[in-house]
Amino acid sequence: MLRLSPFTLHQPKTLDEATQLLAQHAPDVRVISGGTDLLPNMKLAQTKVTHLVSAKFLEELHGIERTETHVRIGAATGLKTLAEDPDVLELLPALAYAASRIASPQIRNMGTLGGNISLDTRCRYINQSELWREALGGCLKSHGTECHVVPGGQGCVAALSADTVPSLIAYGAVVELASDKGLRRAPVSELFQQDGTWHVRIAREELLVAVEIPIPSPQTRVAYRKWAVRQSIDFPLVSVAVRLDVADGVLAGGSVVVGALGPRPRVLTLERLVGSTLDEKLAQALGQMVYDRARPLPNIPYDAEYRRERMVVEVRRAVRSLVGLPERPLTPQA
Ligand SMILES: Cc1cc2nc3c(=O)[nH]c(=O)nc-3n(C[C@H](O)[C@H](O)[C@H](O)COP(=O)(O)OP(=O)(O)OC[C@H]3O[C@@H](n4cnc5c(N)ncnc54)[C@H](O)[C@@H]3O)c2cc1C
Ligand code: SF4
């Protein structure tokens, strides 16, 4: 049986109190929201801290607000709420869908958007008990000196596995972060770095307060697609968000955001394809672009080459869904 090591739970009632607690105990501290990622990682001794600061009673972190220009979502908003919110469903359907595909109903009841954005990276060599990891001599993320995914590699390449991140980037979302030094804002596209041991550019003293997403114009279409072995309770093995900006019936811009590769999502812009007609050729072109420029690693389960092929399939399907083409079976395996 895996046991939690002892910790002190702080339950601040104000943002000021929370940021002071974080500053006081950093780096031996984490924010806890739903706890669905943090507590299992603490049980696996993957995360070792003795202070947790709860987001539960912080008013600023709760609720979804729609203004004329954007949707603001508190970081402690639950995934179930996010997936079912009428404004999110109407204006940001790819985000609602991504949230609805996370884990299981029980976990979506507990898990939050802020926790999902800050979700720890995953790797087949780290999501194991401490005993298992020590038997292998550890790795760069766990008291060792080598990486088992890239032997001889200098950095940890564990995978960003958060389902909401690709569509947040595709929608141009910005996060608001608080610390004892004040507030700062950062685009989600710039929030991640190529270091799987701490891939999210959020300092230990910082708290994610909210996410702001500009309301897309009617010419912007975004789709999210996830592939995992099981339909439920499974992290993404392939995750892609496709954004198409359309003007006068042709492509005017957009991006493909690929998750579940390394610690940082891959963002591919579509300038080269501006002027393309919205048809099957576009689906094929985006599929080829992703095949050429995003390469899955053997860091998470399933054959990396199969995941590469599957990524292409999911990108083509996303494009078809956005331009009104029917889905059709493709090789490999539909
Ligand atoms: C069986 C199982 C299946 C899962 N499947 C999926 C899946 O398919 N897709 C997926 O994306 N996730 C999955 N998860 C992971 C997790 O449930 C979700 O990512 C969830 O959104 C995490 O949110 P949380 O509030 O529980 O985060 P927590 O566990 O509370 O926190 C996670 C991390 O975020 C940090 N954090 C939390 N809130 C804040 C904040 N406000 N400011 C700064 N840092 C913060 C914590 O310190 C911690 O490092 C799964 C988990 C389990 C146990
Ligand atoms: S990618 Fe390498 S260093 Fe990172 S968790 Fe996996 S084995 Fe460890």
Side-chain angles (χ1 to χ4, degrees), residues 91-162:
L91 303 169
L92 310 164
L95 178 61
Y97 175 71
S100 79
R101 290 292 318 275
I102 293 172
S104 63
Q106 292 91 335
I107 291 172
R108 290 194 294 277
N109 271 329
M110 290 298 294
T112 64
L113 178 61
N116 192 246
I117 293 171
S118 321
L119 178 71
D120 202 356
T121 50
R122 297 187 63 77
C123 171
R124 56 172 89 201
Y125 298 101
I126 192 78
N127 302 123
Q128 308 285 354
S129 69
E130 195 169 32
L131 192 66
W132 191 102
R133 299 195 307 265
E134 277 175 4
L136 201 68
C139 72
L140 299 174
K141 195 171 161 81
S142 172
H143 313 299
T145 52
E146 66 172 312
C147 172
H148 306 291
V149 175
V150 184
Q154 297 302 305
C156 169
V157 292
L160 174 137
S161 305

